[in-house]
Amino acid sequence: MYKQELAIIVQSIIESNTISDHVKCAKTLSDFYSRLSSVKHSIQNEVSVKGGIALSSSGAADCVDDYLRTIYFIKGIYNAITKLTADFPERSINILYAGCGPYATLILPLLPMFNKERINAILLDINAESIESVHHLLKVTGLNEYSLQLIETDAITYTKPKDFTIDLAISETMHYALTREPQVAIVKNIVKQLPPHGILIPEEIRIDLAYTFLDHEPSLKNAIDEVKSYNQMQPYPHHVFVDRLFTINKELSSISHYSKFESDFYNLPENFAKIPDVCIFTEIKVFEDIELKTAESYITNPYCVVSLYSINDWSKIQLIYDFSEIPKWSYNVNALK
Ligand SMILES: C[S@@+](CC[C@H](N)C(=O)[O-])C[C@H]1O[C@@H](n2cnc3c(N)ncnc32)[C@H](O)[C@@H]1O
């Protein structure tokens, strides 16, 4: 019964193509999960790892309510699995899902869309309660007939089994501007284990530097009643794009050997009354043409590294992103000559 209900929900997600439809479908999915969950998820089981903080099971459950994030990821993953099943018609598709949370939101709803012989998945989470919750959901929905392994482990150090060639790797373990959560450390570990044909989702996370006025930029504060598409928002007209700092993708070229990224030095604006904030903007290419732009989700909200009012004797700035522990941004400045 639940499996059928989920199949109807996910079908509506795949078919939905307006923001209001996306929101409606995401709410239905969120209600479905709340009804099926047997326990109240804990807010106290955050885990600190070398690379970031893994959300509590309650925090991870709440991610389903980041509506456009949830819908765009599910759509992108559906397209990626569909592509892989067409590319490899003779065998099952191996999926590694790192950081599944208590709902396995990005894969569980899609299972009824595919024949169980075509899916072979490993789901990881560092949080024991989240793994327990996914076991429960699979049991009550009858989706435990699929070939799924649930493993409580750290995805930053996890090594896949030798006979498991990853066709699709999924991880959404990020906060805006890649701060706080361990997305980069996890992706760095996964891409080492991904074969050339393997798909990484998200395919790209683009990190840009801009001078702007943060308070005038679009920012998602409350998804329940203010989700908009980027096209419906009023971008701040004086926003100055400075540079793309790096992109996280399968190649991971700019930061693959380090736990730190250091940018070039950029000229600071002399007159900054209209653009006082040095900000990081995040965009996500989930898969192919499915993208999350600024402020369409909490994870693509803009982030201010520093206000120019506090560094106005300086002429150039360098941005540093360090993900060796809890990921964070800092900066260096050059003095005026
Ligand atoms: C932002 S939540 C997303 C949950 C779910 N995948 C979704 O998209 O709704 C991230 C999840 O990744 C897990 N996680 C974070 N770091 C991890 C790590 N190093 N190893 C395994 N799981 C991790 C957290 O415990 C949390 O459940």
Side-chain angles (χ1 to χ4, degrees):
M1 180 185 88
Y2 287 133
K3 204 187 328 179
Q4 238 171 351
E5 189 180 341
L6 194 56
I8 293 167
I9 296 172
V10 80
Q11 188 65 46
S12 68
I13 291 176
I14 288 158
E15 285 166 8
S16 85
N17 54 22
T18 65
I19 297 293
S20 64
D21 280 354
H22 298 337
V23 170
K24 210 165 116 201
C25 300
K27 282 184 175 160
T28 314
L29 182 64
S30 176
D31 291 346
F32 175 83
Y33 275 125
S34 308
R35 253 187 304 124
L36 259 64
S37 285
S38 58
V39 289
K40 193 165 163 23
H41 301 294
S42 171
I43 51 169
Q44 275 156 350
N45 53 1
E46 269 191 4
V47 184
S48 202
V49 287
K50 218 174 152 11
I53 291 178
L55 292 187
S56 66
S57 40
S58 163
D62 289 346
C63 294
V64 71
D65 296 326
D66 192 348
Y67 296 140
L68 294 192
R69 178 212 77 109
T70 298
I71 298 305
Y72 289 4
F73 269 80
I74 290 177
K75 281 174 174 289
I77 292 165
Y78 173 74
N79 290 351
I81 300 176
T82 303
K83 176 180 188 308
L84 287 164
T85 52
D87 289 351
F88 302 102
E90 307 298 329
R91 63 166 177 85
S92 58
I93 303 306
N94 295 326
I95 303 170
L96 179 71
Y97 182 6
C100 59
Y103 293 160
T105 311
L106 306 183
I107 198 76
L108 191 144
L110 286 167
L111 294 175
M113 303 302 289
F114 298 94
N115 192 312
K116 64 178 189 296
E117 278 71 43
R118 302 307 312 276
I119 304 287
N120 183 27
I122 297 178
L123 278 61
L124 314 177
D125 207 286
I126 201 160
N127 208 306
E129 263 186 48
S130 287
I131 293 289
E132 230 175 85
S133 162
V134 178
H135 271 299
H136 168 78
L137 292 174
L138 290 172
K139 197 167 147 214
V140 296
T141 52
L143 291 167
N144 52 2
E145 61 183 9
Y146 282 76
S147 168
L148 308 170
Q149 280 181 63
L150 271 63
I151 306 176
E152 179 194 333
T153 189
D154 184 352
I156 296 170
T157 51
Y158 173 79
T159 306
K160 70 170 185 70
K162 281 210 174 63
D163 59 353
F164 187 92
T165 303
I166 306 172
D167 298 308
L168 173 62
I170 304 163
S171 192
E172 194 286 85
T173 43
M174 65 178 281
H175 196 54
Y176 52 73
L178 292 172
T179 53
R180 196 170 143 78
E181 290 182 60
Q183 179 87 28
V184 181
I186 291 176
V187 168
K188 202 172 147 183
N189 179 38
I190 289 177
V191 296
K192 284 191 300 210
Q193 307 182 53
L194 204 59
H197 78 270
I199 297 174
L200 174 69
I201 287 196
E203 267 191 314
E204 276 185 10
I205 303 168
R206 303 172 194 135
I207 296 294
D208 294 343
L209 172 65
Y211 303 142
T212 187
F213 204 136
L214 184 71
D215 285 350
H216 295 306
E217 289 284 1
S219 181
L220 181 62
K221 302 278 178 338
N222 177 3
I224 304 266
D225 44 37
E226 63 165 34
V227 179
K228 284 198 184 98
S229 84
Y230 187 64
N231 295 338
Q232 297 169 299
M233 296 180 201
Q234 294 296 319
Y236 179 57
H238 305 289
H239 173 118
V240 176
F241 168 83
V242 180
D243 202 1
R244 173 141 303 157
L245 296 180
F246 59 81
T247 301
I248 300 295
N249 55 19
K250 252 181 92 169
E251 281 72 40
L252 258 190
S253 49
S254 43
I255 49 175
S256 54
H257 302 298
Y258 313 99
S259 300
K260 201 188 239 190
F261 162 85
E262 294 180 343
S263 78
D264 296 335
F265 277 86
Y266 298 101
N267 291 329
L268 288 169
E270 277 170 35
N271 180 352
F272 56 82
K274 289 185 175 149
I275 46 170
D277 298 319
V278 177
C279 291
I280 303 295
F281 283 74
T282 309
E283 280 189 0
I284 298 174
K285 177 183 181 189
V286 179
F287 182 63
E288 295 182 339
D289 58 343
I290 301 180
E291 301 206 350
L292 270 172
K293 305 281 193 196
T294 302
E296 287 188 324
S297 75
Y298 295 119
I299 60 178
T300 54
N301 269 342
Y303 170 73
C304 178
V305 180
V306 61
S307 161
L308 292 176
Y309 283 107
S310 56
I311 54 169
N312 61 2
D313 285 340
W314 306 89
S315 70
K316 285 177 187 276
I317 190 163
Q318 177 190 43
L319 278 294
I320 297 155
Y321 175 69
D322 183 343
F323 61 99
S324 52
E325 300 291 336
I326 295 171
K328 60 175 189 304
W329 289 92
S330 59
Y331 62 91
N332 284 321
V333 280
N334 269 350
L336 283 174
K337 298 256 158 55

